[in-house]
């Protein structure tokens, strides 16, 4: 299925859409040209990896622990990696950590994670599985041409490591597997060293995490012939531990690691950093509009890198786009295409349409875009806005509306700010405090009014 693409760059997109839908190169190492891989393990294995990729179908896995009920933009690059595997004809495996989520990965953290209960883990697992399937389905539906690629994409396999740990006995596991791990190597990992040197130290629970991730890989090798593991560069130590375990237990088998760069903003903060600023892939936590705006607002210095990492646009088309962008940076062509592709992948065509409608309504004065959203979509889009239920009253004035919605602490403040032009109804400035509220102008056909004081304070009025 080829969707009808929407947005500001139709001409450019139509020129490169078909090329991004073609089968990818079977040798995944060619993604290095996009800046996609930071390293491989072992570091001398490139020729052998190329031989395996080009000679047959390989299984590649990446893990996702259920530490929240949604993945975030920081996880999206790993998902992109699995989709690239799929596009190249290889088998992607997503491991969700029903067991390891109870332990907590110390990689990249300064303190131990809060322990999650089993019921929370189960809820998070279901949400993450649904997200993974949705993203892969959106890719196949909107960014993959089945007419030019008649062979079906290899299906995504989702496994839960709780399924194999629940049948293992502790003494048997330690006796049979523990003897293959070396304390010196485990203690040398950067994720361990940084925590041992910290004030809080590291618990034994966290220290064992690399053992379980290593055994996960061994299990997938035996069950799914999975010779490749993919993860962020902060997973290098865990990948090395898995490689060492398999080299001792399955001496005739070869396994390889692929690490992806940790994507950061200009300040050096990771995307999805757990400091309250994560951009989630779940629409109820971060709306399609907010995700769209996140990428639309990317700095010019970052956009080319993100186009290479978060889209399937071939490199020549990205270079062409950047030349056009450099000539007219104020049009933000590169950011717009980046935002459209990511939103389409994460939320599908409906999510992209919603994001563009709201964007046009907020920044281009197209109020009809707001009228097309239902109440739930408006509430989701303007997360954090104050929601007010009001009864329609004949003859209600702008001033009465503002006071009933509690936009101002006092009537004096309301009169002063409205007269000064700091009050907006449905994104249009109103300065006449005596103007009467009318349907179609102040009340949209969906029965909602969007009020704004200044630049950031939004109020959603739902009329009864």
């Amino acid at each position: 299925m080829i969707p009808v693409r929407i947005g500001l760059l139709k001409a450019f997109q139509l020129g490169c859409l078909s090329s991004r839908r073609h089968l990818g190169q079977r040798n995944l190492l060619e993604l290095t040209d996009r800046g996609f891989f930071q390293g491989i393990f072992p570091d001398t294995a490139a020729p052998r990896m190329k031989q395996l990729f080009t000679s047959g179908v390989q299984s590649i896995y990446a893990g996702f622990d259920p530490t929240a009920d949604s993945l975030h933009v920081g996880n999206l690059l790993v998902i992109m990696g699995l989709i690239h595997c799929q596009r190249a004809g290889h088998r992607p495996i997503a491991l969700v950590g029903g067991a390891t989520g109870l332990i907590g990965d110390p990689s990249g953290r300064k303190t131990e994670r809060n322990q999650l209960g089993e019921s929370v883990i189960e809820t998070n697992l279901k949400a993450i599985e649904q997200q993974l399937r949705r993203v892969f389905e959106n890719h196949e539906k909107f960014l993959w041409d089945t007419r030019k690629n008649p062979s079906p994409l290899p299906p995504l396999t989702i496994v839960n490591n709780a399924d194999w740990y629940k049948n293992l006995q502790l003494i048997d596991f330690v006796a049979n597997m523990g003897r293959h791990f070396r304390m010196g190597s485990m203690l040398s990992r950067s994720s361990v060293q940084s925590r041992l040197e910290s004030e809080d130290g590291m618990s034994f629970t966290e220290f064992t995490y690399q053992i379980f991730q290593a055994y996960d890989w061994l299990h997938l090798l035996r069950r799914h012939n999975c010779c490749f593991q993919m993860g962020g560069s902060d997973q290098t130590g865990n990948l090395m531990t898995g490689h060492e375990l398999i080299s001792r237990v399955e001496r005739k088998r070869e396994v390889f690691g692929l690490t992806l760069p940790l994507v950061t903003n200009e300040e050096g903060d990771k995307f999805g950093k757990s400091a309250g600023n994560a951009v989630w892939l779940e629409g109820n936590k971060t709306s399609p509009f907010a995700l769209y705006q996140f990428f639309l607002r990317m700095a010019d210095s970052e956009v080319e890198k993100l186009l290479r990492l978060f889209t399937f646009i071939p490199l020549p088309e990205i270079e062409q786009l950047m030349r056009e962008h450099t000539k007219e940076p104020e049009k933000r062509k590169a950011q717009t295409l980046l935002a459209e592709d990511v939103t389409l992948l994460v939320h599908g065509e409906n999510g992209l349409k919603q994001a563009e409608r709201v964007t046009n309504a907020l920044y281009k004065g197209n109020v009809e875009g707001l009228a097309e959203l239902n109440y739930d979509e408006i509430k989701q889009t303007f997360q954090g806005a104050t929601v007010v239920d009001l009864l329609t009253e004949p003859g209600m004035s702008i001033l009465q509306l503002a006071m009933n919605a509690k936009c101002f602490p006092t009537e004096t403040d309301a009169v002063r700010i409205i007269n000064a032009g700091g009050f907006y109804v449905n994104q249009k400035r109103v300065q006449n405090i005596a103007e009467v509220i009318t349907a179609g102008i102040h009340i949209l056909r969906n029965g909602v009014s969007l009020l704004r004081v200044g630049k950031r304070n939004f109020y959603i009025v739902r009329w009864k």
Side-chain angles (χ1 to χ4, degrees):
M1 173 182 180
I2 299 180
V4 178
R5 291 300 303 273
I6 54 180
L8 302 179
L9 299 178
K10 291 187 181 68
F12 179 84
Q13 290 170 329
L14 290 174
C16 68
L17 181 58
S18 60
S19 57
R20 83 182 72 167
R21 290 169 170 272
H22 287 173
L23 186 69
Q25 294 291 334
R26 294 192 69 86
N27 178 17
L28 291 176
L29 294 184
E30 294 191 8
L31 291 173
T32 303
D33 294 340
R34 302 180 74 94
F36 207 83
F37 294 128
Q38 181 162 318
I40 62 172
F41 186 83
D43 56 10
T44 58
R48 177 57 176 154
M49 293 171 73
K50 178 181 178 180
Q51 181 184 18
L52 290 173
F53 283 136
T54 55
S55 62
V57 177
Q58 302 297 321
S59 294
I60 301 99
Y61 101 90
F64 304 89
D65 277 343
T67 54
D69 59 357
S70 174
L71 299 173
H72 50 67
V73 170
N75 303 121
L76 187 58
L77 187 61
V78 180
I79 299 174
M80 290 289 296
L82 290 179
I83 294 177
H84 275 295
C85 295
Q86 186 186 50
R87 291 168 70 94
H90 302 298
R91 289 189 295 262
I93 300 174
L95 182 151
V96 292
T100 45
L102 293 168
I103 298 171
D105 185 359
S107 302
R109 293 188 60 86
K110 297 179 180 179
T111 59
E112 188 168 2
R113 298 178 188 272
N114 294 326
Q115 185 173 9
L116 300 177
E118 291 187 16
S119 62
V120 175
I121 291 286
E122 188 62 30
T123 298
N124 293 352
L125 283 172
K126 291 179 180 178
I128 288 173
E129 287 185 29
Q130 290 175 354
Q131 282 184 357
L132 288 168
R133 295 193 189 280
R134 185 187 73 216
V135 172
F136 273 78
E137 288 170 1
N138 285 340
H139 164 260
E140 185 169 3
K141 186 176 182 180
F142 301 114
L143 293 166
W144 184 253
D145 192 347
T146 55
R147 295 177 301 182
K148 294 185 178 180
N149 301 288
S151 299
L153 286 167
L156 169 69
T157 299
I158 298 181
V159 296
N160 183 347
N161 58 14
D163 291 339
W164 51 88
Y165 286 116
K166 66 183 179 184
N167 297 320
L168 288 178
Q169 297 296 320
L170 175 61
I171 297 300
D172 292 340
F173 180 75
V174 173
N176 295 324
M177 288 294 120
R179 67 181 68 253
H180 298 293
F181 294 93
R182 295 293 176 264
M183 290 298 297
S185 297
M186 295 176 67
L187 287 168
S188 69
R189 307 303 183 213
S190 59
S191 60
V192 175
Q193 285 292 316
S194 61
R195 290 293 300 280
L196 290 178
E197 296 170 0
S198 69
E199 182 177 347
D200 293 333
M202 174 182 251
S203 70
F204 174 74
T205 299
E206 287 186 301
F207 181 67
T208 65
Y209 186 91
Q210 58 182 301
I211 294 176
F212 290 99
Q213 184 167 329
Y215 184 78
D216 286 344
W217 195 357
L218 175 62
H219 175 87
L220 293 177
L221 175 68
R222 290 171 169 175
R223 182 62 61 88
H224 297 277
N225 193 30
C226 181
C227 299
F228 294 86
Q229 182 181 173
M230 181 182 297
S233 59
D234 59 350
Q235 294 294 308
T236 301
N238 293 334
L239 267 66
M240 293 172 68
T241 301
H243 185 275
E244 291 174 1
L245 171 64
I246 292 170
S247 67
R248 294 188 175 101
V249 177
E250 301 282 344
R251 296 185 179 182
K252 295 183 180 181
R253 305 294 300 274
E254 295 178 293
V255 294
F256 310 90
L258 297 159
T259 60
L260 313 179
L262 296 181
V263 185
T264 60
N265 59 23
E266 287 186 304
E267 288 73 36
D269 295 326
K270 290 194 301 183
F271 283 6
K273 187 179 179 181
S274 54
N277 60 348
V279 178
W280 303 99
L281 305 188
E282 176 54 53
N284 291 330
K285 296 171 75 71
T286 297
S287 70
F289 163 73
L291 179 70
Y292 182 90
Q293 287 293 318
F294 176 78
F295 284 97
L296 188 65
R297 294 173 181 172
M298 281 296 159
D300 289 342
S301 59
E302 298 289 306
V303 68
E304 182 175 2
K305 175 184 72 175
L306 298 182
L307 281 166
R308 291 168 177 260
L309 295 177
F310 288 102
T311 78
F312 302 103
I313 303 171
L315 292 179
E317 276 84 353
I318 291 178
E319 292 167 1
Q320 175 190 342
L321 175 61
M322 291 309 301
R323 286 193 292 269
E324 296 178 9
H325 174 79
T326 302
K327 293 177 182 177
E328 299 176 301
E330 70 281 0
K331 292 186 176 181
R332 303 186 74 77
K333 289 182 178 180
Q335 286 92 338
T336 300
L337 187 55
L338 171 66
E340 288 182 355
D341 270 28
V342 174
T343 306
L344 186 66
L345 180 66
V346 175
H347 293 296
E349 195 167 43
N350 289 336
L352 176 56
K353 287 179 179 178
Q354 177 188 329
E356 292 190 329
R357 284 200 303 266
V358 177
T359 297
N360 290 335
L362 288 179
Y363 302 112
K364 298 184 180 180
N366 180 13
V367 179
E368 290 303 310
L370 286 176
E372 294 175 6
L373 302 179
N374 60 40
Y375 167 73
D376 289 335
E377 289 176 324
I378 291 179
K379 185 177 179 181
Q380 179 189 87
T381 298
F382 298 94
Q383 292 174 356
T386 301
V387 178
V388 182
D389 289 329
L390 294 181
L391 291 172
T392 54
E393 299 177 12
M396 179 183 291
S397 68
I398 289 293
L399 179 59
Q400 290 171 318
L401 169 62
M403 295 307 299
N404 291 346
K406 296 181 170 54
C407 297
F408 302 98
T410 68
E411 187 170 307
T412 301
D413 290 325
V415 172
R416 175 176 55 82
I417 293 175
I418 294 173
N419 285 337
F423 187 62
Y424 299 77
V425 179
N426 300 331
Q427 294 304 100
K428 292 186 176 181
R429 180 185 284 117
V430 291
Q431 293 179 268
N432 181 1
I433 62 174
E435 183 178 353
V436 175
I437 302 299
T438 58
I441 299 177
H442 305 106
I443 303 176
L444 301 174
R445 63 174 180 267
N446 55 12
V448 172
S449 297
L450 181 68
L451 312 183
R452 175 162 63 91
V453 180
K455 293 183 178 181
R456 300 183 181 276
N457 296 321
F458 287 95
Y459 299 80
I460 300 170
V461 175
R462 181 170 57 178
W463 295 94
K464 299 292 187 180

